[in-house]
Amino acid sequence: MDTSYDPAQLRTFLAVAQTLSFTQAARRLGIRQSTVSQHVRRLEEATGRQLFARDTHRVDLTEDGEAMLGFARTILTAHERAAAFFAGTRLRGRLRFGASEDFVLTRLPEILESFRRDHPEVELELTVELSGTLHRQLEAGRLDLVLAKRRTGDTHGELVWRDALDWIGAPQLRIDPERPVPLIVFPPPGITRARALEVLEEHGRAWRIACTSTSLSALVAAARAGLGVMVHSRGLIPPGLVPVPARAGLPEPGGVDFVLLHGDDRRGAVREAADALAAAILAGGDRLHRRGGG
């Protein structure tokens, strides 16, 4: 059977797969929700498979939808490289990109490597910091593009994906409900730190700081050693750590958004390079959490 896949439908599919929301996908792409539904329906007709399991409350990828993720990225990457080649334009200039510490253990390096290969004349400068610090550096004009966390409910930035937060720790760790909760946290202005303290205070649970560091690797090492628990994105749980069982009685920490934010300096070369990297991150956003954490 001679089947071709429409790039517009594939982009819509990826947006829905990353946000797990037809509404959020429509906002990201600047199209109507009915158009998103139409694109997904036509892609499902082309494949002859159901790509999403959906009801009035939630959207999830099916097994065939998971398989389509890789195919969609490959097709779109080839399409965009061909378009860039024959357009005869080459991006140039210096692009200052900031990424949250959360992405140290993910496949973000693969996306950046692909971007540098496609745009060798762009001088990419990477800053890895806490999300709150990156927000401030962007506002101060020291960064051009940022990939970071924001609190669920905030509206600034372009949503890459939304995830639940979990309490995580070493498999052998046991939390004594009669003793203060030992916390492993980033220093202020860490968003997960703030959320952990807020939710424990709201539920009247005593806590103590067992470890603090700006390095995710250091926090993970402390957690693996059984020093305490940390609040972390469910899709980014590092290898060797697991969600804390419900019997520990820890309150639900809620959710978090991962977003792209552009700086105010929108001059030609910077704007084009930032837009190209943002598009690459959005296209490969599922690689930042699916199979990225463990």
Side-chain angles (χ1 to χ4, degrees):
M1 182 175 62
D2 183 15
T3 302
S4 60
Y5 298 114
D6 185 334
Q9 294 171 12
L10 293 175
R11 290 189 188 93
T12 300
F13 164 76
L14 285 178
V16 176
Q18 291 161 10
T19 62
L20 295 180
S21 166
F22 280 55
T23 302
Q24 292 292 342
R27 289 175 183 167
R28 172 191 291 185
L29 299 170
I31 59 179
R32 291 180 297 180
Q33 189 169 333
S34 60
T35 304
V36 171
S37 299
Q38 182 184 68
H39 284 181
V40 170
R41 184 177 67 253
R42 288 181 176 174
L43 187 59
E44 288 181 327
E45 290 171 354
T47 60
R49 307 290 180 88
Q50 183 179 359
L51 303 178
F52 294 104
R54 48 198 184 273
D55 55 30
T56 56
H57 300 291
R58 59 181 296 159
V59 176
D60 286 307
L61 280 163
T62 63
E63 186 174 339
D64 289 316
E66 291 278 1
M68 176 54 84
L69 283 172
F71 295 130
R73 284 198 305 267
T74 300
I75 294 168
L76 287 174
T77 297
H79 183 271
E80 289 160 5
R81 285 180 178 171
F85 178 86
F86 290 109
T89 58
R90 296 178 68 87
L91 295 180
R92 295 177 174 82
R94 182 172 64 121
L95 176 59
R96 302 166 300 173
F97 173 58
S100 168
E101 182 79 16
D102 300 83
F103 300 106
V104 166
L105 302 179
T106 74
R107 296 167 68 183
L108 176 62
E110 294 179 16
I111 296 176
L112 298 181
E113 180 184 12
S114 178
F115 176 82
R116 292 189 67 251
R117 184 173 61 248
D118 293 343
H119 307 290
E121 295 182 28
V122 173
E123 182 183 338
L124 183 62
E125 294 183 3
L126 175 64
T127 298
V128 178
E129 263 289 2
L130 301 179
S131 290
T133 301
L134 293 174
H135 286 293
R136 290 202 295 256
Q137 291 182 352
L138 187 73
E139 292 170 0
R142 295 198 293 272
L143 293 172
D144 304 308
L145 180 70
V146 160
L147 175 62
K149 295 194 295 284
R150 75 177 180 197
R151 290 173 177 265
T152 299
D154 288 350
T155 58
H156 60 287
E158 184 175 17
L159 181 66
V160 180
W161 88 87
R162 178 166 290 152
D163 204 0
L165 291 171
D166 275 336
W167 294 98
I168 64 172
Q172 72 277 11
L173 181 67
R174 298 293 179 267
I175 298 296
D176 186 342
E178 302 302 320
R179 298 172 65 89
V181 179
L183 296 179
I184 296 172
V185 291
F186 288 114
I191 290 176
T192 51
R193 172 197 176 98
R195 188 60 194 141
L197 300 185
E198 288 169 359
V199 73
L200 290 174
E201 295 285 354
E202 289 168 2
H203 288 79
R205 287 293 299 267
W207 53 270
R208 65 179 179 84
I209 301 296
C211 175
T212 182
S213 174
T214 58
S215 166
L216 177 59
S217 297
L219 298 185
V220 170
R224 287 175 180 160
L227 296 186
V229 296
M230 55 191 290
V231 167
H232 203 65
S233 168
R234 183 173 296 170
L236 293 172
I237 297 177
L241 300 178
V242 297
V244 176
R247 63 176 178 271
L250 296 176
E252 290 290 334
V256 67
D257 293 343
F258 291 87
V259 297
L260 282 166
L261 303 104
H262 288 265
D264 293 331
D265 186 355
R266 305 292 285 161
R267 292 171 297 177
V270 173
R271 182 187 69 249
E272 291 174 2
D275 288 348
L277 180 54
I281 290 171
L282 289 170
D286 57 282
R287 286 190 287 175
L288 298 177
H289 55 119
R290 299 179 191 279
R291 301 177 304 278

